[in-house]
Amino acid sequence: MLRHTLTHALESLRHRVAAGSPSLTAALRYVQLSDRARVELDKLLDATRFEVPCEQLASPFAGREGQVPTRQFVNWVEAKKAVSHCEGPRSAGGLGLKGWEDVGGLTRLEAVGLLTMALERLERTPEVGAGPLFPGLTSSRR
Protein backbone atom coordinates (compact mmCIF):
# COMPACT_ATOMS: atom_id res chain seq x y z
CA MET A 1 0.00 0.00 0.00
CA LEU A 2 2.88 2.36 0.78
CA ARG A 3 4.40 1.72 -2.65
CA HIS A 4 1.11 2.67 -4.32
CA THR A 5 0.87 5.82 -2.19
CA LEU A 6 4.43 6.86 -3.02
CA THR A 7 3.97 6.15 -6.74
CA HIS A 8 0.79 8.23 -6.83
CA ALA A 9 2.47 11.05 -4.87
CA LEU A 10 5.51 11.13 -7.18
CA GLU A 11 3.32 11.17 -10.30
CA SER A 12 1.19 13.96 -8.85
CA LEU A 13 4.28 15.98 -7.86
CA ARG A 14 5.80 15.54 -11.31
CA HIS A 15 2.59 16.77 -12.92
CA ARG A 16 2.33 19.80 -10.60
CA VAL A 17 5.98 20.83 -10.99
CA ALA A 18 5.86 20.43 -14.78
CA ALA A 19 2.62 22.44 -14.91
CA GLY A 20 4.10 25.48 -13.18
CA SER A 21 4.25 25.02 -9.40
CA PRO A 22 6.76 27.55 -8.00
CA SER A 23 8.69 24.90 -6.01
CA LEU A 24 8.69 21.26 -5.03
CA THR A 25 7.65 22.28 -1.53
CA ALA A 26 4.66 24.22 -2.88
CA ALA A 27 3.63 21.23 -5.01
CA LEU A 28 3.90 18.95 -1.99
CA ARG A 29 1.27 21.00 -0.15
CA TYR A 30 -1.39 19.65 -2.49
CA VAL A 31 -0.44 15.99 -2.08
CA GLN A 32 -2.13 14.26 0.85
CA LEU A 33 0.30 11.91 2.62
CA SER A 34 0.50 10.28 6.02
CA ASP A 35 3.50 11.12 8.19
CA ARG A 36 5.10 7.76 7.42
CA ALA A 37 4.58 8.19 3.68
CA ARG A 38 6.03 11.71 3.80
CA VAL A 39 9.15 10.40 5.59
CA GLU A 40 9.54 7.60 3.03
CA LEU A 41 9.06 10.09 0.17
CA ASP A 42 11.78 12.34 1.62
CA LYS A 43 14.13 9.36 1.97
CA LEU A 44 13.45 8.27 -1.60
CA LEU A 45 14.01 11.75 -3.05
CA ASP A 46 17.19 12.27 -0.98
CA ALA A 47 18.60 8.88 -2.02
CA THR A 48 17.80 9.55 -5.67
CA ARG A 49 19.30 13.04 -5.55
CA PHE A 50 22.46 11.64 -3.96
CA GLU A 51 22.75 8.72 -6.40
CA VAL A 52 22.02 10.45 -9.72
CA PRO A 53 24.41 13.10 -11.06
CA CYS A 54 22.82 16.50 -11.66
CA GLU A 55 23.59 16.37 -15.40
CA GLN A 56 21.51 13.20 -15.78
CA LEU A 57 18.43 14.76 -14.15
CA ALA A 58 17.78 17.01 -17.16
CA SER A 59 17.66 13.93 -19.40
CA PRO A 60 17.17 10.84 -17.24
CA PHE A 61 16.83 8.29 -20.07
CA ALA A 62 19.57 9.58 -22.38
CA GLY A 63 21.34 6.72 -24.09
CA ARG A 64 18.99 4.02 -22.79
CA GLU A 65 15.69 4.87 -24.45
CA GLY A 66 15.22 1.31 -25.72
CA GLN A 67 15.90 -0.22 -22.30
CA VAL A 68 13.26 1.78 -20.45
CA PRO A 69 9.60 0.72 -20.40
CA THR A 70 7.62 2.71 -22.97
CA ARG A 71 5.19 4.07 -20.37
CA GLN A 72 8.00 5.62 -18.31
CA PHE A 73 9.62 7.16 -21.37
CA VAL A 74 6.34 8.58 -22.69
CA ASN A 75 5.52 10.06 -19.26
CA TRP A 76 8.97 11.71 -19.18
CA VAL A 77 8.54 13.16 -22.69
CA GLU A 78 5.09 14.54 -21.79
CA ALA A 79 6.43 16.09 -18.56
CA LYS A 80 9.35 17.62 -20.48
CA LYS A 81 6.93 19.13 -23.02
CA ALA A 82 4.83 20.53 -20.16
CA VAL A 83 7.93 22.19 -18.67
CA SER A 84 8.81 23.71 -22.05
CA HIS A 85 5.26 25.02 -22.46
CA CYS A 86 5.21 26.35 -18.90
CA GLU A 87 8.52 28.20 -19.20
CA GLY A 88 8.21 29.17 -22.85
CA PRO A 89 7.64 32.82 -23.79
CA ARG A 90 4.07 33.98 -24.25
CA SER A 91 4.89 35.17 -27.76
CA ALA A 92 5.63 31.54 -28.71
CA GLY A 93 2.47 30.17 -27.09
CA GLY A 94 4.01 29.35 -23.72
CA LEU A 95 2.86 30.45 -20.29
CA GLY A 96 5.98 32.48 -19.49
CA LEU A 97 6.24 31.17 -15.92
CA LYS A 98 9.85 31.64 -14.89
CA GLY A 99 9.34 31.62 -11.12
CA TRP A 100 11.04 28.53 -9.71
CA GLU A 101 13.01 28.02 -6.52
CA ASP A 102 14.87 25.01 -5.23
CA VAL A 103 17.09 24.78 -2.18
CA GLY A 104 19.53 22.50 -4.01
CA GLY A 105 19.68 24.73 -7.09
CA LEU A 106 17.86 22.39 -9.47
CA THR A 107 15.98 23.83 -12.43
CA ARG A 108 12.32 22.95 -12.99
CA LEU A 109 13.33 20.40 -15.66
CA GLU A 110 15.89 18.82 -13.33
CA ALA A 111 13.28 18.59 -10.56
CA VAL A 112 10.92 16.79 -12.96
CA GLY A 113 13.84 14.51 -13.87
CA LEU A 114 14.47 13.87 -10.16
CA LEU A 115 10.85 12.83 -9.67
CA THR A 116 11.04 10.62 -12.77
CA MET A 117 14.23 8.94 -11.53
CA ALA A 118 12.65 8.48 -8.08
CA LEU A 119 9.70 6.71 -9.74
CA GLU A 120 12.13 4.45 -11.59
CA ARG A 121 14.06 3.76 -8.39
CA LEU A 122 10.83 2.94 -6.55
CA GLU A 123 9.88 0.43 -9.25
CA ARG A 124 13.30 -1.25 -8.99
CA THR A 125 13.15 -1.51 -5.19
CA PRO A 126 11.89 -4.90 -4.04
CA GLU A 127 8.69 -4.70 -2.08
CA VAL A 128 8.96 -5.97 1.47
CA GLY A 129 5.84 -7.77 2.57
CA ALA A 130 4.41 -7.78 6.06
CA GLY A 131 4.46 -11.57 6.07
CA PRO A 132 2.38 -14.43 4.75
CA LEU A 133 -1.25 -13.72 3.98
CA PHE A 134 -2.44 -16.80 5.87
CA PRO A 135 0.21 -17.60 8.50
CA GLY A 136 -1.67 -20.66 9.81
CA LEU A 137 -1.42 -22.41 6.45
CA THR A 138 2.33 -21.96 6.08
CA SER A 139 3.43 -22.89 9.61
CA SER A 140 4.76 -26.38 10.15
CA ARG A 141 2.52 -28.84 11.96
CA ARG A 142 3.79 -31.32 14.51
Side-chain angles (χ1 to χ4, degrees):
M1 189 64 168
L2 182 62
R3 179 184 292 261
H4 173 72
T5 302
L6 291 176
T7 301
H8 182 69
L10 286 168
E11 288 172 348
S12 179
L13 284 170
R14 179 173 59 188
H15 175 74
R16 287 188 174 279
V17 168
S21 185
S23 69
L24 195 55
T25 307
L28 195 55
R29 287 186 203 139
Y30 298 98
V31 178
Q32 297 290 330
L33 292 173
S34 66
D35 290 338
R36 179 173 177 233
R38 192 169 296 272
V39 167
E40 291 299 320
L41 180 67
D42 284 343
K43 285 181 187 177
L44 178 63
L45 289 174
D46 286 344
T48 304
R49 197 174 217 171
F50 180 74
E51 177 185 284
V52 178
C54 197
E55 303 82 39
Q56 189 179 355
L57 292 178
S59 185
F61 301 126
R64 54 187 189 111
E65 289 86 357
Q67 301 166 0
V68 178
T70 305
R71 179 184 53 85
Q72 284 183 356
F73 186 68
V74 168
N75 288 341
W76 160 249
V77 170
E78 288 177 359
K80 187 176 175 181
K81 285 180 184 176
V83 169
S84 296
H85 175 70
C86 173
E87 293 184 337
R90 289 178 186 261
S91 60
L95 299 178
L97 299 175
K98 296 290 184 184
W100 171 256
E101 58 184 52
D102 183 68
V103 176
L106 296 179
T107 64
R108 185 185 307 271
L109 183 63
E110 290 170 342
V112 170
L114 172 68
L115 295 166
T116 301
M117 295 299 290
L119 276 163
E120 185 182 26
R121 182 185 179 102
L122 183 63
E123 283 185 10
R124 284 185 285 131
T125 305
E127 191 165 1
V128 178
L133 186 57
F134 301 108
L137 296 176
T138 57
S139 64
S140 62
R141 297 179 188 202
R142 292 183 187 202

